[in-house]
Every structure is written in C-alpha cells, then in structure tokens.
Amino acid sequence: MFIKFRSIIIGIILICSIQSCFSQGFNEDKTALSNFIKRMYNSAPFEGVKVINDYDHQYFISVISLESAKYTSPSTMNRVAQVKAQQQANTFFNGSTISSDLVIKTTETKDSTSTKSTVEMIESIRESSVGFVQGMELLTNFDTEEGKRMVFIYYREMKEEKK
C-alpha cells in the first residue's frame, strides 16, 4: 500500500513538473520586444513610428508620450494615446498632405513725431491624411523616470513579403 501511494505521489510530481516546463513561452516574444523598446527609449527618448527587425519578425511600433497632469482619468489618457498611435500609423502607411500658409500682417502706429511700423508673420501648417490602419495593439506603457509623462508603445507585426 505504501509503495502504491509513493508511486502515485511521484507520478503527480512528474506530471506537474512536465506541465511547468511547457507553460513558459506564452508571451516571451512580446515581453522581450517590450523590454528591448523600453531600453531603447530610456537610452535615447523618441516619439513617432519605427520599424524594428529581429531574426524572425518585423514589427511596426508607434511611441506616444503624454503629460499625465493633462488627463483627468487613465481611460481618457489611454484613448488619446490609442488615437494618436493610429494617426501616426495611418500617416506612415498611407501618407499625408501638408499645406502651409504664411500671413504677413503690417501695422503702422503714428505719433506726433514719427511713424512706427510693426511686421507680424503668422505661419499656419496643416496636415491631412486619409485611410484606416487596424491591428495596432498596446504593447506596454510606463511612466518616465521623472514621473511627469506616460509613454505608450503600440505595435503591429508586419506581414513578411514572400520572395
């Protein structure tokens, strides 16, 4: 009886140890990518889009940094970051049209002794983009070292072209 009980216990321990061996690796690629981009950001902060290659995959990332004090709730901040990431991705993939207007405003002020001219230049730059980008997923978000800004990193695995 003791031998049967002992063999059952050993069997359970073996099954549990085999299960734990296979349970590693569910998100290893995602975690490694997240840690790599965090280290990259902390060494030289950047915003915008990048394409990152590893041995087997190509990732499109969009990095957004927002001031924490400007947002009343985390859900609002998350939504703004998501929309900005989609806008950056759309501009990258579909392009954009940029227009610029320069307005020169001259005013004259007359005194009893002289006339003074003031020139003011106002430049207005507009960017518009049309398209839709789907499949952007939040990879990670973290506070900057000073704690005033929140950094959001969205990503999408790019399809590899067949050669």
Side-chain angles (χ1 to χ4, degrees):
M1 172 124 166
F2 180 71
I3 295 175
K4 279 186 174 182
F5 181 71
R6 186 173 155 195
S7 59
I8 290 173
I9 295 294
I10 291 173
I12 291 173
I13 291 172
L14 284 174
I15 290 173
C16 289
S17 65
I18 290 172
Q19 282 289 338
S20 67
C21 289
F22 292 118
S23 66
Q24 299 293 321
F26 174 68
N27 259 344
E28 283 181 6
D29 291 340
K30 206 172 180 183
T31 304
L33 178 65
S34 172
N35 291 335
F36 173 73
I37 296 171
K38 275 186 193 178
R39 284 191 308 273
M40 204 165 93
Y41 183 87
N42 288 331
S43 68
F46 63 94
E47 285 192 48
V49 297
K50 285 187 183 237
V51 176
I52 296 177
N53 294 313
D54 70 2
Y55 296 110
D56 301 326
H57 302 92
Q58 189 174 38
Y59 300 100
F60 171 81
I61 64 165
S62 178
V63 179
I64 291 95
S65 172
L66 299 175
E67 271 187 59
S68 300
K70 286 187 176 180
Y71 300 94
T72 56
S73 70
S75 63
T76 304
M77 186 187 296
N78 288 335
R79 181 65 182 148
V80 169
Q82 180 184 17
V83 169
K84 283 188 174 192
Q86 288 174 339
Q87 180 268 328
Q88 287 179 348
N90 183 40
T91 300
F92 181 80
F93 287 112
N94 299 321
S96 66
T97 304
I98 299 173
S99 63
S100 174
D101 295 325
L102 180 64
V103 177
I104 301 173
K105 182 179 172 184
T106 307
T107 55
E108 287 186 3
T109 309
K110 291 185 179 183
D111 287 347
S112 59
T113 58
S114 66
T115 303
K116 184 178 178 181
S117 295
T118 306
V119 177
E120 182 181 359
M121 293 205 280
I122 302 169
E123 186 175 17
S124 173
I125 301 172
R126 282 184 225 88
E127 179 181 19
S128 61
S129 179
V130 177
F132 179 71
V133 175
Q134 59 185 358
M136 295 292 292
E137 179 182 341
L138 179 64
L139 179 63
T140 187
N141 62 328
F142 56 94
D143 285 322
T144 56
E145 291 178 2
E146 64 271 0
K148 294 180 181 178
R149 299 185 75 79
M150 177 75 81
V151 177
F152 295 85
I153 301 172
Y154 286 84
Y155 87 112
R156 173 177 132 180
E157 186 174 348
M158 296 178 73
K159 302 282 188 228
E160 220 175 280
E161 294 181 16
K162 300 205 178 190
K163 296 176 183 175

